[in-house]
Amino acid sequence: MILDERTGFALQARDERDNVILSVAKNPVQGERRDRKFFFWHDRAEAANAVGVHPVKFFAIVMMLASSAFAWPWSSDKKNAENEARIKDSLLQVEVRNLQREVETLTRIRMQKADSLEKLDAKHWSNRYAESQLTEEHQNVTRELDGRYSKLSTDLGRVTEEVMASKTVTEEADEKAKSEEVSFDALNTQIRLSIEKTLGDVAGDYPVGMNKRILSLKRASGDAEKKVPNTIAAVQGYMADLLARHELTYTQSYGAELSQVGSRPDVNVNRLRLGTVFLGEVANDNGDVQALLRSGTLQGKIFEWNANLPTDISQNVKQAVNQAGSAMAASQAKSGSIIAIPLDVLQNKAIKNSIADTKELTWTEEFKAFFKKGGIVMYPLMLVAIIALLLFLERFIVLTYRGHLGRRFTKNMNALVAEKKYEDAANLCLKRETSLSMVLFAVLNKVNDTRENAERSLQEALLREQPKLERRMGLLAAMGTIAPLLGLLGTVTGIITLFTVITEVGTNDARVLAGGISEALITTEMGLVIAIPVMILHGLLSEKIEKITSELYVQSTSLMNKVFGKESK
């Protein structure tokens, strides 16, 4: 049931099946128009259900009311009043019963709501209890987790400190290892470079034991160049080679060997060696003698065999070898024994020249020897000389052809111009392809035009011919300038090489130093020998060009005056 808050009347009532049994209009205007004791019926079935009357009873009441209505005109007023009173009483009873039902319904609903509230209250307190239990458990778990977190944080801090300390130690160890690795690599690189340099020098070094030294050094170089270098083995091999080389320098020996004497290979010889300053061999079959001498150069092949010794030197070498063999055979060699050996302790180039046979060389061989002494810079110097020669020949031929100033041509040209046969003069110019004919043709081509246009044509022709005459003269002058510079470059590189060799090997004679400097100055000499003639030829060609240009101006101006007169328009 729904009540009106202002008046307290029931606005809507429902039965046990939740069907609307009563509905009263809420509009106050409609309420004022009806009696408050009557209700607004939606339809007959709803009205019957609203008052709780059985449909049959309701139909009887309606019929009674209808009969009363039909009987009203014929019945008396008293009877009508009784019927109305009776109807009102019936309606009031129905209303009372309806109100009772509503009160019962409301009471029942109130009880249901009360039961629901009790259940909800019990459930609420049960939930509160469960919530408090969960809160307590949560607090216990939280406290346990806080304790574990605090312990883990402490352990984590300690572990972090240990890790940082370990990381620092590791980084220091890595840096130290990298430093050691760099030092090791630098040492291995230095050893490898030393081995490679020694390998390069072995070919020109003392030839005794050369093959053994090369094998030993290559083995050491292979150890140094491995993916994981064996530096210790490389150092051992390198030091063993140095010791073997020093042993050759400070020891002497005598014995039978197989050697090449002159052009004969595999000859049985007796060899006598005194350090690295003397090595002589005597063939057992025919007594041929050869000696190992210094070549006198500071780089390249330092030692060379010489089988063409003078007779006296050959006899001395043979006598020394035979004496050494006799002493060894008779076991009479003593520390005080003396054997005369033909050698010079300075071992310089002058001694080598005095020992070796000197034969006359042709000019081609002398030039080859001279060219070889100059070194690698002699090749660009020779190229510069060839280019300069080709440029001079080309310019000389061109200037001779294009700059030809023939007297017969000039005489014929003047005769034709004097007779005013300008067309024939122009054809004569076209037959010759010289610079003078091209310039004169430019004037004759404008003979029927004004002097001003002829002068412009003449100027254009001169401007065309001038570059053809002066072409490549700058390049020829550059060749003359480059030659002495290349010579100076060869001298500087030669001096650097000389002092490098002296620093590594040393020298005990100032003549060796002077000889090295003289060889270094060969390139400067060659550069000057090339540059001086080139500059002279360049000057001659320049003078010839100037002469041709001057003649072009004279002849063209003379022709201009003859054709157009001396007055300028």
Side-chain angles (χ1 to χ4, degrees), residues 13 106 118 191 246 438 450:
L106 291 174
E118 288 179 359
I191 294 297
H246 283 289
M438 293 297 102
T450 61

Side-chain angles (χ1 to χ4, degrees), residues 201-452:
D201 296 339
V202 165
D205 198 4
Y206 202 68
V208 176
M210 180 183 295
N211 294 333
K212 185 177 179 181
R213 290 187 61 196
I214 291 176
L215 291 176
S216 176
L217 289 173
K218 285 187 175 180
R219 191 181 304 111
S221 178
D223 292 334
E225 291 178 354
K226 288 181 179 179
K227 188 174 182 181
V228 180
N230 191 354
T231 307
I232 296 177
V235 172
Q236 290 176 349
Y238 179 65
M239 297 304 295
D241 177 74
L242 290 180
L243 290 175
R245 180 63 179 83
H246 283 289
E247 184 179 359
L248 287 175
T249 304
Y250 299 108
T251 59
Q252 58 187 8
S253 64
Y254 173 83
E257 301 286 345
L258 280 176
S259 179
Q260 179 177 349
V261 179
S263 59
R264 297 189 302 155
D266 298 335
V267 178
N268 291 318
V269 298
N270 292 323
R271 175 182 296 175
L272 175 62
R273 179 182 61 82
L274 179 62
T276 58
V277 296
F278 175 80
L279 179 61
E281 293 180 348
V282 178
N284 294 332
D285 52 0
N286 58 3
D288 288 343
V289 178
Q290 68 176 3
L292 184 66
L293 306 175
R294 286 184 178 269
S295 62
T297 61
L298 296 176
Q299 55 183 342
K301 193 174 182 180
I302 301 176
F303 295 91
E304 62 182 6
W305 287 101
N306 194 328
N308 299 319
L309 299 174
T311 305
D312 54 345
I313 300 297
S314 177
Q315 291 296 329
N316 292 334
V317 172
K318 188 174 183 180
Q319 183 180 357
V321 173
N322 291 333
Q323 288 179 359
S326 300
M328 293 293 294
S331 300
Q332 295 176 357
K334 299 179 181 179
S335 59
S337 299
I338 299 175
I339 299 175
I341 297 176
L343 60 86
D344 180 69
V345 294
L346 297 179
Q347 294 287 296
N348 54 28
K349 189 175 181 181
I351 302 301
K352 180 254 181 185
N353 291 333
S354 65
I355 293 177
D357 270 335
T358 57
K359 62 178 181 178
E360 288 193 16
L361 301 176
T362 62
W363 68 271
T364 306
E365 293 175 346
E366 289 181 355
F367 178 76
K368 288 181 179 179
F370 177 79
F371 191 87
K372 186 177 180 181
K373 291 177 183 178
I376 194 172
V377 183
M378 296 293 285
Y379 292 97
L381 280 172
M382 186 58 62
L383 181 63
V384 169
I386 295 172
I387 293 174
L389 179 61
L390 293 177
L391 288 174
F392 169 74
L393 293 176
E394 187 267 343
R395 283 292 89 197
F396 182 78
I397 293 171
V398 169
L399 293 177
T400 302
Y401 178 71
R402 295 193 64 87
H404 180 66
L405 303 173
R407 294 182 180 179
R408 181 181 300 176
F409 172 77
T410 305
K411 183 178 180 180
N412 294 335
M413 176 64 63
N414 293 331
L416 292 174
V417 171
E419 296 175 2
K420 296 187 178 181
K421 295 180 180 180
Y422 300 127
E423 187 175 354
D424 294 339
N427 292 331
L428 180 62
C429 291
L430 292 176
K431 291 180 181 179
R432 306 288 297 272
E433 294 183 359
T434 62
S435 297
L436 179 60
S437 63
M438 293 297 102
V439 171
L440 297 180
F441 176 77
V443 177
L444 294 173
N445 195 33
K446 298 292 182 179
V447 70
N448 296 324
D449 208 337
T450 61
R451 182 184 180 93
E452 183 178 2

Side-chain angles (χ1 to χ4, degrees), residues 40-321:
F40 176 75
W41 312 110
H42 292 284
D43 55 9
R44 292 179 180 178
E46 289 181 355
N49 292 327
V51 297
V53 181
H54 195 271
V56 177
K57 293 180 181 182
F58 181 76
F59 181 73
I61 293 172
V62 172
M63 292 299 294
M64 182 181 63
L65 292 175
S67 63
S68 298
F70 285 111
W72 177 71
W74 297 277
S75 62
S76 62
D77 294 334
K78 184 177 179 180
K79 190 175 181 178
N80 292 334
E82 289 177 357
N83 291 331
E84 290 178 359
R86 204 166 28 250
I87 290 170
K88 290 180 178 179
D89 291 336
S90 299
L91 293 174
L92 288 174
Q93 290 176 3
V94 171
E95 183 178 359
V96 168
R97 283 196 297 272
N98 291 333
L99 291 175
Q100 288 177 352
R101 290 193 189 94
E102 292 177 1
V103 170
E104 291 175 357
T105 302
L106 291 174
T107 302
R108 186 170 56 255
I109 292 171
R110 177 176 172 280
M111 295 300 293
Q112 292 176 355
K113 296 293 183 183
D115 292 340
S116 299
L117 288 174
E118 288 179 359
K119 291 179 181 180
L120 291 174
D121 193 19
K123 187 176 181 180
H124 170 71
W125 286 108
S126 177
N127 291 336
R128 287 288 300 275
Y129 179 75
E131 183 180 355
S132 63
Q133 290 294 328
L134 291 175
T135 302
E136 185 176 357
E137 290 178 1
H138 174 70
Q139 291 176 353
N140 293 333
V141 172
T142 302
R143 284 193 295 270
E144 182 180 357
L145 292 176
D146 289 340
R148 293 176 62 185
Y149 175 76
S150 177
K151 183 178 179 181
L152 290 175
S153 298
T154 304
D155 294 341
L156 180 62
R158 178 175 53 79
V159 172
T160 303
E161 292 178 357
E162 293 178 357
V163 169
M164 293 301 294
S166 301
K167 186 176 180 180
T168 303
V169 174
T170 304
E171 289 177 354
E172 292 177 356
D174 289 341
E175 291 179 358
K176 187 175 180 180
K178 288 180 180 178
S179 177
E180 295 294 336
E181 184 178 0
V182 171
S183 301
F184 180 79
D185 291 340
L187 175 61
N188 186 73
T189 302
Q190 186 177 0
I191 294 297
R192 181 169 52 82
L193 293 177
S194 300
I195 293 173
E196 291 177 356
K197 183 179 181 302
T198 305
L199 270 173
D201 296 339
V202 165
D205 198 4
Y206 202 68
V208 176
M210 180 183 295
N211 294 333
K212 185 177 179 181
R213 290 187 61 196
I214 291 176
L215 291 176
S216 176
L217 289 173
K218 285 187 175 180
R219 191 181 304 111
S221 178
D223 292 334
E225 291 178 354
K226 288 181 179 179
K227 188 174 182 181
V228 180
N230 191 354
T231 307
I232 296 177
V235 172
Q236 290 176 349
Y238 179 65
M239 297 304 295
D241 177 74
L242 290 180
L243 290 175
R245 180 63 179 83
H246 283 289
E247 184 179 359
L248 287 175
T249 304
Y250 299 108
T251 59
Q252 58 187 8
S253 64
Y254 173 83
E257 301 286 345
L258 280 176
S259 179
Q260 179 177 349
V261 179
S263 59
R264 297 189 302 155
D266 298 335
V267 178
N268 291 318
V269 298
N270 292 323
R271 175 182 296 175
L272 175 62
R273 179 182 61 82
L274 179 62
T276 58
V277 296
F278 175 80
L279 179 61
E281 293 180 348
V282 178
N284 294 332
D285 52 0
N286 58 3
D288 288 343
V289 178
Q290 68 176 3
L292 184 66
L293 306 175
R294 286 184 178 269
S295 62
T297 61
L298 296 176
Q299 55 183 342
K301 193 174 182 180
I302 301 176
F303 295 91
E304 62 182 6
W305 287 101
N306 194 328
N308 299 319
L309 299 174
T311 305
D312 54 345
I313 300 297
S314 177
Q315 291 296 329
N316 292 334
V317 172
K318 188 174 183 180
Q319 183 180 357
V321 173

Side-chain angles (χ1 to χ4, degrees), residues 471-483:
R471 185 181 301 170
R472 298 188 183 91
M473 292 298 295
L475 184 58
L476 182 60
M479 293 297 105
T481 306
I482 290 173

Side-chain angles (χ1 to χ4, degrees), residues 467-537:
K468 294 179 181 179
L469 297 174
E470 296 179 354
R471 185 181 301 170
R472 298 188 183 91
M473 292 298 295
L475 184 58
L476 182 60
M479 293 297 105
T481 306
I482 290 173
L485 294 178
L486 286 174
L488 181 61
L489 174 63
T491 299
V492 172
T493 55
I495 294 295
I496 292 173
T497 304
L498 173 65
F499 281 104
T500 302
V501 173
I502 290 175
T503 302
E504 295 178 356
V505 179
T507 180
N508 51 7
D509 191 356
R511 289 177 293 177
V512 176
L513 180 62
I517 295 175
S518 65
E519 290 184 5
L521 291 174
I522 290 176
T523 54
T524 300
E525 179 185 2
M526 191 66 180
L528 293 175
V529 167
I530 295 172
I532 293 172
V534 169
M535 297 305 294
I536 293 174
L537 296 176

